[in-house]
PDB file of all heavy atoms in Angstrom:
ATOM      1  N   ASP E   1      -4.223 -10.077   4.375  1.00 92.00           N
ATOM      2  CA  ASP E   1      -4.877 -11.119   5.156  1.00 92.00           C
ATOM      3  C   ASP E   1      -6.093 -10.536   5.867  1.00 92.00           C
ATOM      4  O   ASP E   1      -6.182  -9.323   6.107  1.00 92.00           O
ATOM      5  CB  ASP E   1      -3.902 -11.716   6.175  1.00 92.00           C
ATOM      6  CG  ASP E   1      -2.832 -12.547   5.503  1.00 92.00           C
ATOM      7  OD1 ASP E   1      -3.073 -13.036   4.379  1.00 92.00           O
ATOM      8  OD2 ASP E   1      -1.739 -12.709   6.094  1.00 92.00           O
ATOM      9  N   VAL E   2      -7.005 -11.419   6.239  1.00 92.00           N
ATOM     10  CA  VAL E   2      -8.287 -10.973   6.770  1.00 92.00           C
ATOM     11  C   VAL E   2      -8.238 -10.750   8.280  1.00 92.00           C
ATOM     12  O   VAL E   2      -9.201 -10.236   8.862  1.00 92.00           O
ATOM     13  CB  VAL E   2      -9.366 -12.022   6.406  1.00 92.00           C
ATOM     14  CG1 VAL E   2      -9.231 -13.267   7.283  1.00 92.00           C
ATOM     15  CG2 VAL E   2     -10.768 -11.445   6.504  1.00 92.00           C
ATOM     16  N   ASP E   3      -7.145 -11.077   8.948  1.00 90.00           N
ATOM     17  CA  ASP E   3      -7.108 -11.038  10.408  1.00 90.00           C
ATOM     18  C   ASP E   3      -6.943  -9.643  10.992  1.00 90.00           C
ATOM     19  O   ASP E   3      -6.919  -9.469  12.211  1.00 90.00           O
ATOM     20  CB  ASP E   3      -5.989 -11.939  10.937  1.00 90.00           C
ATOM     21  CG  ASP E   3      -4.634 -11.594  10.336  1.00 90.00           C
ATOM     22  OD1 ASP E   3      -4.495 -10.497   9.772  1.00 90.00           O
ATOM     23  OD2 ASP E   3      -3.716 -12.433  10.437  1.00 90.00           O
ATOM     24  N   LEU E   4      -6.776  -8.610  10.136  1.00 90.00           N
ATOM     25  CA  LEU E   4      -6.633  -7.211  10.540  1.00 90.00           C
ATOM     26  C   LEU E   4      -5.342  -6.921  11.294  1.00 90.00           C
ATOM     27  O   LEU E   4      -5.222  -5.865  11.926  1.00 90.00           O
ATOM     28  CB  LEU E   4      -7.835  -6.758  11.380  1.00 90.00           C
ATOM     29  CG  LEU E   4      -9.162  -6.626  10.624  1.00 90.00           C
ATOM     30  CD1 LEU E   4     -10.289  -6.259  11.569  1.00 90.00           C
ATOM     31  CD2 LEU E   4      -9.040  -5.581   9.517  1.00 90.00           C
ATOM     32  N   GLN E   5      -4.382  -7.823  11.244  1.00 90.00           N
ATOM     33  CA  GLN E   5      -3.064  -7.487  11.788  1.00 90.00           C
ATOM     34  C   GLN E   5      -2.338  -6.510  10.867  1.00 90.00           C
ATOM     35  O   GLN E   5      -1.475  -5.754  11.315  1.00 90.00           O
ATOM     36  CB  GLN E   5      -2.236  -8.758  11.977  1.00 90.00           C
ATOM     37  CG  GLN E   5      -2.710  -9.620  13.130  1.00 90.00           C
ATOM     38  CD  GLN E   5      -1.733 -10.745  13.456  1.00 90.00           C
ATOM     39  OE1 GLN E   5      -1.670 -11.754  12.760  1.00 90.00           O
ATOM     40  NE2 GLN E   5      -0.990 -10.559  14.516  1.00 90.00           N
ATOM     41  N   ASP E   6      -2.690  -6.548   9.580  1.00 90.00           N
ATOM     42  CA  ASP E   6      -2.193  -5.559   8.626  1.00 90.00           C
ATOM     43  C   ASP E   6      -3.300  -4.525   8.427  1.00 90.00           C
ATOM     44  O   ASP E   6      -4.360  -4.847   7.875  1.00 90.00           O
ATOM     45  CB  ASP E   6      -1.845  -6.225   7.285  1.00 90.00           C
ATOM     46  CG  ASP E   6      -0.823  -7.336   7.454  1.00 90.00           C
ATOM     47  OD1 ASP E   6       0.043  -7.218   8.339  1.00 90.00           O
ATOM     48  OD2 ASP E   6      -0.894  -8.329   6.702  1.00 90.00           O
ATOM     49  N   PRO E   7      -3.109  -3.281   8.867  1.00 92.00           N
ATOM     50  CA  PRO E   7      -4.202  -2.295   8.847  1.00 92.00           C
ATOM     51  C   PRO E   7      -4.597  -1.890   7.429  1.00 92.00           C
ATOM     52  O   PRO E   7      -3.748  -1.460   6.640  1.00 92.00           O
ATOM     53  CB  PRO E   7      -3.602  -1.102   9.607  1.00 92.00           C
ATOM     54  CG  PRO E   7      -2.127  -1.273   9.512  1.00 92.00           C
ATOM     55  CD  PRO E   7      -1.875  -2.751   9.457  1.00 92.00           C
ATOM     56  N   PRO E   8      -5.868  -1.992   7.070  1.00 94.00           N
ATOM     57  CA  PRO E   8      -6.314  -1.594   5.721  1.00 94.00           C
ATOM     58  C   PRO E   8      -6.079  -0.118   5.416  1.00 94.00           C
ATOM     59  O   PRO E   8      -5.989   0.266   4.250  1.00 94.00           O
ATOM     60  CB  PRO E   8      -7.818  -1.928   5.744  1.00 94.00           C
ATOM     61  CG  PRO E   8      -7.987  -2.931   6.829  1.00 94.00           C
ATOM     62  CD  PRO E   8      -6.963  -2.596   7.856  1.00 94.00           C
ATOM     63  N   GLU E   9      -5.978   0.718   6.443  1.00 94.00           N
ATOM     64  CA  GLU E   9      -5.787   2.150   6.227  1.00 94.00           C
ATOM     65  C   GLU E   9      -4.486   2.462   5.480  1.00 94.00           C
ATOM     66  O   GLU E   9      -4.348   3.543   4.890  1.00 94.00           O
ATOM     67  CB  GLU E   9      -5.808   2.892   7.564  1.00 94.00           C
ATOM     68  CG  GLU E   9      -7.149   2.900   8.259  1.00 94.00           C
ATOM     69  CD  GLU E   9      -7.505   1.587   8.944  1.00 94.00           C
ATOM     70  OE1 GLU E   9      -6.607   0.720   9.077  1.00 94.00           O
ATOM     71  OE2 GLU E   9      -8.670   1.424   9.341  1.00 94.00           O
ATOM     72  N   VAL E  10      -3.537   1.524   5.501  1.00 94.00           N
ATOM     73  CA  VAL E  10      -2.247   1.734   4.834  1.00 94.00           C
ATOM     74  C   VAL E  10      -2.389   1.640   3.312  1.00 94.00           C
ATOM     75  O   VAL E  10      -1.526   2.105   2.569  1.00 94.00           O
ATOM     76  CB  VAL E  10      -1.215   0.706   5.358  1.00 94.00           C
ATOM     77  CG1 VAL E  10       0.145   0.864   4.684  1.00 94.00           C
ATOM     78  CG2 VAL E  10      -1.051   0.851   6.869  1.00 94.00           C
ATOM     79  N   ILE E  11      -3.481   1.057   2.829  1.00 95.00           N
ATOM     80  CA  ILE E  11      -3.659   0.862   1.383  1.00 95.00           C
ATOM     81  C   ILE E  11      -3.614   2.189   0.637  1.00 95.00           C
ATOM     82  O   ILE E  11      -3.035   2.282  -0.456  1.00 95.00           O
ATOM     83  CB  ILE E  11      -4.984   0.123   1.117  1.00 95.00           C
ATOM     84  CG1 ILE E  11      -4.925  -1.293   1.694  1.00 95.00           C
ATOM     85  CG2 ILE E  11      -5.290   0.074  -0.375  1.00 95.00           C
ATOM     86  CD1 ILE E  11      -6.241  -2.028   1.671  1.00 95.00           C
ATOM     87  N   ALA E  12      -4.202   3.234   1.204  1.00 95.00           N
ATOM     88  CA  ALA E  12      -4.192   4.544   0.545  1.00 95.00           C
ATOM     89  C   ALA E  12      -2.766   5.055   0.366  1.00 95.00           C
ATOM     90  O   ALA E  12      -2.418   5.607  -0.687  1.00 95.00           O
ATOM     91  CB  ALA E  12      -5.018   5.539   1.361  1.00 95.00           C
ATOM     92  N   ASP E  13      -1.932   4.858   1.381  1.00 95.00           N
ATOM     93  CA  ASP E  13      -0.525   5.282   1.274  1.00 95.00           C
ATOM     94  C   ASP E  13       0.201   4.478   0.205  1.00 95.00           C
ATOM     95  O   ASP E  13       1.042   5.019  -0.528  1.00 95.00           O
ATOM     96  CB  ASP E  13       0.179   5.109   2.621  1.00 95.00           C
ATOM     97  CG  ASP E  13      -0.440   5.977   3.712  1.00 95.00           C
ATOM     98  OD1 ASP E  13      -0.969   7.045   3.363  1.00 95.00           O
ATOM     99  OD2 ASP E  13      -0.398   5.574   4.887  1.00 95.00           O
ATOM    100  N   MET E  14      -0.097   3.187   0.113  1.00 95.00           N
ATOM    101  CA  MET E  14       0.530   2.347  -0.912  1.00 95.00           C
ATOM    102  C   MET E  14       0.169   2.841  -2.312  1.00 95.00           C
ATOM    103  O   MET E  14       1.042   2.962  -3.188  1.00 95.00           O
ATOM    104  CB  MET E  14       0.074   0.890  -0.746  1.00 95.00           C
ATOM    105  CG  MET E  14       0.626   0.177   0.462  1.00 95.00           C
ATOM    106  SD  MET E  14      -0.013  -1.523   0.538  1.00 95.00           S
ATOM    107  CE  MET E  14       1.148  -2.270   1.668  1.00 95.00           C
ATOM    108  N   LEU E  15      -1.113   3.125  -2.522  1.00 96.00           N
ATOM    109  CA  LEU E  15      -1.564   3.558  -3.839  1.00 96.00           C
ATOM    110  C   LEU E  15      -0.960   4.911  -4.204  1.00 96.00           C
ATOM    111  O   LEU E  15      -0.526   5.124  -5.348  1.00 96.00           O
ATOM    112  CB  LEU E  15      -3.086   3.619  -3.869  1.00 96.00           C
ATOM    113  CG  LEU E  15      -3.730   3.972  -5.209  1.00 96.00           C
ATOM    114  CD1 LEU E  15      -3.337   2.967  -6.287  1.00 96.00           C
ATOM    115  CD2 LEU E  15      -5.252   4.032  -5.076  1.00 96.00           C
ATOM    116  N   ASP E  16      -0.907   5.826  -3.242  1.00 95.00           N
ATOM    117  CA  ASP E  16      -0.318   7.144  -3.507  1.00 95.00           C
ATOM    118  C   ASP E  16       1.155   7.020  -3.879  1.00 95.00           C
ATOM    119  O   ASP E  16       1.622   7.673  -4.826  1.00 95.00           O
ATOM    120  CB  ASP E  16      -0.476   8.047  -2.277  1.00 95.00           C
ATOM    121  CG  ASP E  16      -1.927   8.455  -2.043  1.00 95.00           C
ATOM    122  OD1 ASP E  16      -2.718   8.356  -3.002  1.00 95.00           O
ATOM    123  OD2 ASP E  16      -2.253   8.849  -0.905  1.00 95.00           O
ATOM    124  N   LEU E  17       1.890   6.192  -3.134  1.00 95.00           N
ATOM    125  CA  LEU E  17       3.320   6.022  -3.413  1.00 95.00           C
ATOM    126  C   LEU E  17       3.535   5.402  -4.786  1.00 95.00           C
ATOM    127  O   LEU E  17       4.439   5.813  -5.539  1.00 95.00           O
ATOM    128  CB  LEU E  17       3.960   5.150  -2.329  1.00 95.00           C
ATOM    129  CG  LEU E  17       5.464   4.925  -2.446  1.00 95.00           C
ATOM    130  CD1 LEU E  17       6.220   6.236  -2.327  1.00 95.00           C
ATOM    131  CD2 LEU E  17       5.950   3.933  -1.375  1.00 95.00           C
ATOM    132  N   ALA E  18       2.727   4.390  -5.135  1.00 95.00           N
ATOM    133  CA  ALA E  18       2.871   3.739  -6.438  1.00 95.00           C
ATOM    134  C   ALA E  18       2.602   4.719  -7.580  1.00 95.00           C
ATOM    135  O   ALA E  18       3.298   4.697  -8.608  1.00 95.00           O
ATOM    136  CB  ALA E  18       1.929   2.543  -6.531  1.00 95.00           C
ATOM    137  N   ARG E  19       1.611   5.589  -7.414  1.00 94.00           N
ATOM    138  CA  ARG E  19       1.293   6.552  -8.469  1.00 94.00           C
ATOM    139  C   ARG E  19       2.338   7.653  -8.566  1.00 94.00           C
ATOM    140  O   ARG E  19       2.762   8.026  -9.666  1.00 94.00           O
ATOM    141  CB  ARG E  19      -0.083   7.162  -8.190  1.00 94.00           C
ATOM    142  CG  ARG E  19      -1.234   6.216  -8.483  1.00 94.00           C
ATOM    143  CD  ARG E  19      -2.534   6.825  -7.984  1.00 94.00           C
ATOM    144  NE  ARG E  19      -3.704   6.178  -8.568  1.00 94.00           N
ATOM    145  CZ  ARG E  19      -4.950   6.466  -8.239  1.00 94.00           C
ATOM    146  NH1 ARG E  19      -5.184   7.398  -7.319  1.00 94.00           N
ATOM    147  NH2 ARG E  19      -5.968   5.844  -8.802  1.00 94.00           N
ATOM    148  N   GLU E  20       2.759   8.183  -7.422  1.00 94.00           N
ATOM    149  CA  GLU E  20       3.691   9.310  -7.427  1.00 94.00           C
ATOM    150  C   GLU E  20       5.057   8.920  -7.995  1.00 94.00           C
ATOM    151  O   GLU E  20       5.674   9.677  -8.744  1.00 94.00           O
ATOM    152  CB  GLU E  20       3.848   9.855  -6.010  1.00 94.00           C
ATOM    153  CG  GLU E  20       2.611  10.557  -5.477  1.00 94.00           C
ATOM    154  CD  GLU E  20       2.737  10.896  -4.009  1.00 94.00           C
ATOM    155  OE1 GLU E  20       3.834  10.654  -3.443  1.00 94.00           O
ATOM    156  OE2 GLU E  20       1.753  11.397  -3.422  1.00 94.00           O
ATOM    157  N   GLU E  21       5.555   7.722  -7.602  1.00 94.00           N
ATOM    158  CA  GLU E  21       6.887   7.309  -8.018  1.00 94.00           C
ATOM    159  C   GLU E  21       6.866   6.265  -9.133  1.00 94.00           C
ATOM    160  O   GLU E  21       7.908   5.708  -9.471  1.00 94.00           O
ATOM    161  CB  GLU E  21       7.659   6.781  -6.806  1.00 94.00           C
ATOM    162  CG  GLU E  21       7.802   7.807  -5.691  1.00 94.00           C
ATOM    163  CD  GLU E  21       8.740   7.341  -4.590  1.00 94.00           C
ATOM    164  OE1 GLU E  21       9.465   6.346  -4.816  1.00 94.00           O
ATOM    165  OE2 GLU E  21       8.750   7.975  -3.515  1.00 94.00           O
ATOM    166  N   ARG E  22       5.677   5.989  -9.650  1.00 94.00           N
ATOM    167  CA  ARG E  22       5.511   5.040 -10.770  1.00 94.00           C
ATOM    168  C   ARG E  22       6.156   3.696 -10.442  1.00 94.00           C
ATOM    169  O   ARG E  22       6.968   3.163 -11.183  1.00 94.00           O
ATOM    170  CB  ARG E  22       6.092   5.627 -12.050  1.00 94.00           C
ATOM    171  CG  ARG E  22       5.494   6.980 -12.429  1.00 94.00           C
ATOM    172  CD  ARG E  22       6.042   7.519 -13.724  1.00 94.00           C
ATOM    173  NE  ARG E  22       5.636   6.696 -14.860  1.00 94.00           N
ATOM    174  CZ  ARG E  22       5.980   6.955 -16.123  1.00 94.00           C
ATOM    175  NH1 ARG E  22       6.748   8.006 -16.386  1.00 94.00           N
ATOM    176  NH2 ARG E  22       5.569   6.166 -17.098  1.00 94.00           N
ATOM    177  N   LEU E  23       5.740   3.138  -9.313  1.00 95.00           N
ATOM    178  CA  LEU E  23       6.277   1.868  -8.835  1.00 95.00           C
ATOM    179  C   LEU E  23       5.357   0.722  -9.230  1.00 95.00           C
ATOM    180  O   LEU E  23       4.141   0.885  -9.324  1.00 95.00           O
ATOM    181  CB  LEU E  23       6.441   1.905  -7.309  1.00 95.00           C
ATOM    182  CG  LEU E  23       7.334   3.007  -6.741  1.00 95.00           C
ATOM    183  CD1 LEU E  23       7.312   2.960  -5.213  1.00 95.00           C
ATOM    184  CD2 LEU E  23       8.761   2.871  -7.268  1.00 95.00           C
ATOM    185  N   ASP E  24       5.961  -0.441  -9.434  1.00 95.00           N
ATOM    186  CA  ASP E  24       5.186  -1.648  -9.736  1.00 95.00           C
ATOM    187  C   ASP E  24       4.889  -2.465  -8.488  1.00 95.00           C
ATOM    188  O   ASP E  24       3.979  -3.299  -8.499  1.00 95.00           O
ATOM    189  CB  ASP E  24       5.933  -2.524 -10.746  1.00 95.00           C
ATOM    190  CG  ASP E  24       5.926  -1.927 -12.141  1.00 95.00           C
ATOM    191  OD1 ASP E  24       4.832  -1.628 -12.642  1.00 95.00           O
ATOM    192  OD2 ASP E  24       7.014  -1.745 -12.716  1.00 95.00           O
ATOM    193  N   VAL E  25       5.677  -2.258  -7.436  1.00 95.00           N
ATOM    194  CA  VAL E  25       5.509  -3.024  -6.198  1.00 95.00           C
ATOM    195  C   VAL E  25       5.673  -2.074  -5.016  1.00 95.00           C
ATOM    196  O   VAL E  25       6.613  -1.275  -4.979  1.00 95.00           O
ATOM    197  CB  VAL E  25       6.544  -4.162  -6.073  1.00 95.00           C
ATOM    198  CG1 VAL E  25       6.316  -4.953  -4.783  1.00 95.00           C
ATOM    199  CG2 VAL E  25       6.482  -5.084  -7.281  1.00 95.00           C
ATOM    200  N   VAL E  26       4.762  -2.165  -4.066  1.00 95.00           N
ATOM    201  CA  VAL E  26       4.899  -1.440  -2.800  1.00 95.00           C
ATOM    202  C   VAL E  26       4.687  -2.444  -1.676  1.00 95.00           C
ATOM    203  O   VAL E  26       3.595  -3.009  -1.531  1.00 95.00           O
ATOM    204  CB  VAL E  26       3.884  -0.283  -2.675  1.00 95.00           C
ATOM    205  CG1 VAL E  26       4.051   0.399  -1.314  1.00 95.00           C
ATOM    206  CG2 VAL E  26       4.076   0.721  -3.799  1.00 95.00           C
ATOM    207  N   HIS E  27       5.741  -2.683  -0.904  1.00 93.00           N
ATOM    208  CA  HIS E  27       5.678  -3.642   0.201  1.00 93.00           C
ATOM    209  C   HIS E  27       5.196  -2.953   1.469  1.00 93.00           C
ATOM    210  O   HIS E  27       5.632  -1.838   1.788  1.00 93.00           O
ATOM    211  CB  HIS E  27       7.060  -4.247   0.476  1.00 93.00           C
ATOM    212  CG  HIS E  27       7.645  -4.986  -0.679  1.00 93.00           C
ATOM    213  ND1 HIS E  27       7.281  -6.282  -0.972  1.00 93.00           N
ATOM    214  CD2 HIS E  27       8.578  -4.627  -1.596  1.00 93.00           C
ATOM    215  CE1 HIS E  27       7.970  -6.682  -2.033  1.00 93.00           C
ATOM    216  NE2 HIS E  27       8.756  -5.699  -2.426  1.00 93.00           N
ATOM    217  N   GLY E  28       4.332  -3.625   2.201  1.00 92.00           N
ATOM    218  CA  GLY E  28       4.017  -3.198   3.549  1.00 92.00           C
ATOM    219  C   GLY E  28       5.031  -3.806   4.496  1.00 92.00           C
ATOM    220  O   GLY E  28       5.154  -5.028   4.582  1.00 92.00           O
TER     221      GLY E  28
END
């Protein structure tokens, strides 16, 4: 969402986790 209540900085952690563990979904 655009309201910045969900911090965009977490996106890097999501991408790293998806690549390392070969995940199809990463929930914030």
Side-chain angles (χ1 to χ4, degrees):
D1 290 336
V2 75
D3 55 17
L4 290 176
Q5 288 190 283
D6 303 327
E9 292 77 12
V10 179
I11 295 171
D13 298 331
M14 289 179 162
L15 184 59
D16 290 341
L17 182 63
R19 286 172 163 176
E20 291 171 5
E21 301 188 13
R22 304 182 67 180
L23 302 176
D24 288 306
V25 181
V26 178
H27 300 279

